[in-house]
Amino acid sequence: MRIFSGIQPTGVKHLGNYIGAIVPYIEGQERGEGIYCIVDLHATTVAYEPAALRTGSYDLAALLLAAGLDPARCILFRQSDVHEHSVLQWLLMGVSSYGELLRMTQFKDKSDKQKDFVSAGLFSYPVLMAADILAYKTDEVPVGDDQRQHVELTRNIAERFNSRFGETLVVPAGVYRTVGARIMDLQDPTSKMSTTGANPQGAIYFSDEPSAILKKFKSAVTDSGREVVRGPDKPGINNLLDILAVVRGVSVEEVEREFEGSMYGQFKQTVGEAVVDYIAPVQARYKELRADEAQLEAILAAGADKARQIAAQTVAEVQAKMGVGPVRSAS
Ligand code: TYM
């Protein structure tokens, strides 16, 4: 069982990234062969600061290790260190259609936000993501709900490649949490929590102090009702129920039972305190790990060496099937 996922090294990571993706990465490393990639090349598709991108990769490596990724049990590496991703992206461009890329909602959202320049990289971003996944003959891709369309595209690309050139690529399955696959913004609970949200009060960042986290939950937008129960017109409460259920490792129904008859204020206070306790150990380990950049670089370099061996094999097979490059003797 091979598990692969990627995460962008931009901005400060938030509770949505953690619950939707990072926690499943840790579980994945126990269940199978986990391969986790810091996708710095993807981050170059929108306006960015080069120095911040480089340090962002170390920040993210430290966070992933602090969360529990263990380089002895999984492969953790930086995308740009394994050139095979870029090579495979180009090879897959020929079996990716312009029309399907145009339909990607994330491209539409992100291109609308770019003021004066929409890069071709932003448009072909999902093909690089497909290359990331397919290079490792991945079985499962743990991601948040916002990546569902990209994973479906990856499956289509793999199937199209296989039917055109013969069985080569593994068609991967997206894996989404039943609760917590889409953590919403605390100020606008109809939008997902994100690094680029309109209001920083809406996201819980790993760099937040406990007092800031408690304040953000205290001012979380709810509704005019009074009962702490799920409801179609209660996106704020639904989100807080999901968060508390995940953090405590219980079902949403159990949380509802516990807060029967409670006021929203009391509930929000409890969720805030639970999140503070949940991420505090990760925040503490992060500080220690982030202090040793040479060690982080060594871990990423060793991960890249292992990743390259797998990806190079796939690229060689793909090239052979596509008639690209010289005839190779079977190894
Ligand atoms: P990125 O860096 O935006 O997000 C990293 C992971 O966090 C999940 N996520 C969320 N989950 C729940 N609630 C939220 N509010 C929330 N916000 C983000 C994302 O779904 C993701 O799993 N394109 C990808 C990176 C990527 C990738 C890949 C992923 C590149 N190559 C190959 C998987 C496989 C992205 O931008 O994720």
Side-chain angles (χ1 to χ4, degrees):
M1 162 71 69
R2 192 170 276 163
I3 297 162
F4 179 95
S5 201
I7 177 165
Q8 295 202 58
T10 36
V12 184
K13 293 292 126 179
H14 53 74
L15 190 63
N17 298 129
Y18 192 71
I19 291 178
I22 299 176
V23 171
Y25 299 172
I26 313 300
E27 290 163 4
Q29 122 188 306
E30 311 299 329
R31 266 187 315 118
E33 189 185 354
I35 306 182
Y36 303 111
C37 182
I38 295 175
V39 295
D40 57 345
L41 295 175
H42 275 108
T44 66
T45 59
V46 292
Y48 74 100
E49 283 298 327
L53 179 58
R54 184 158 292 119
T55 56
S57 293
Y58 296 126
D59 296 344
L60 183 53
L63 179 64
L64 293 171
L65 294 166
L69 283 189
D70 175 358
R73 275 187 296 172
C74 71
I75 299 178
L76 173 63
F77 72 107
R78 181 172 43 210
Q79 187 184 35
S80 60
D81 289 340
V82 180
H83 295 172
E84 282 74 7
H85 290 232
S86 308
V87 174
L88 187 58
Q89 178 195 14
W90 185 257
L91 296 169
L92 295 176
M93 290 283 263
V95 287
S96 307
S97 94
Y98 174 71
E100 66 190 348
L101 290 178
L102 266 184
R103 286 195 292 279
M104 294 292 117
T105 53
Q106 213 156 79
F107 172 69
K108 289 186 208 165
D109 293 347
K110 287 194 180 175
S111 56
D112 282 349
K113 285 191 193 140
Q114 304 305 304
K115 289 192 186 66
D116 2 88
F117 182 77
V118 176
S119 74
L122 191 61
F123 183 68
S124 54
Y125 176 117
V127 188
L128 179 58
M129 180 162 159
D132 296 339
I133 297 168
L134 300 176
Y136 298 92
K137 306 241 170 120
T138 300
D139 299 297
E140 287 189 0
V141 188
V143 277
D145 191 60
D146 61 331
Q147 297 300 315
R148 205 178 272 271
Q149 201 186 21
H150 288 159
V151 175
E152 286 308 310
L153 175 76
T154 301
R155 292 168 54 86
N156 291 342
I157 290 174
E159 279 166 2
R160 202 172 296 135
F161 185 96
N162 288 345
S163 75
R164 182 154 166 209
F165 298 106
E167 267 327 290
T168 314
L169 299 171
V170 171
V171 181
V175 178
Y176 313 91
R177 297 186 71 128
T178 30
V179 176
R182 182 174 282 260
I183 299 297
M184 309 308 275
D185 188 290
L186 300 182
Q187 288 299 316
D188 172 12
T190 58
S191 305
K192 66 169 184 174
M193 187 179 286
S194 79
T195 322
T196 51
N199 182 348
Q201 295 306 311
I204 301 298
Y205 299 111
F206 270 84
S207 54
D208 284 345
E209 294 291 333
S211 57
I213 296 175
L214 291 173
K215 207 165 144 209
K216 287 180 182 182
F217 276 105
K218 203 169 162 197
S219 62
V221 168
T222 49
D223 54 73
S224 56
R226 304 176 70 93
E227 282 172 62
V228 182
V229 285
R230 266 194 181 288
D233 50 353
K234 293 160 79 75
I237 289 293
N238 293 345
N239 189 37
L240 296 174
L241 283 167
D242 283 358
I243 292 174
L244 191 56
V246 166
V247 164
R248 290 215 181 139
V250 299
S251 70
V252 170
E253 292 70 27
E254 274 174 78
V255 178
E256 285 174 337
R257 272 199 295 281
E258 181 182 338
F259 286 90
E260 225 176 275
S262 297
M263 308 292 269
Y264 281 178
Q266 172 58 39
F267 175 55
K268 291 200 279 187
Q269 170 83 18
T270 307
V271 183
E273 286 165 3
V275 169
V276 166
D277 292 347
Y278 183 62
I279 69 173
V282 182
Q283 289 177 313
R285 276 197 300 275
Y286 171 82
K287 279 198 184 130
E288 280 169 39
L289 289 158
R290 184 63 185 89
D292 192 349
E293 210 165 275
Q295 168 74 3
L296 294 171
E297 182 55 46
I299 290 172
L300 293 177
D305 285 344
K306 292 187 203 155
R308 202 176 294 115
Q309 286 180 26
I310 305 171
Q313 178 71 35
T314 307
V315 168
E317 283 173 46
V318 165
Q319 287 191 333
K321 292 280 175 68
M322 291 180 77
V324 170
V327 176
R328 279 171 225 272
S329 55
S331 57

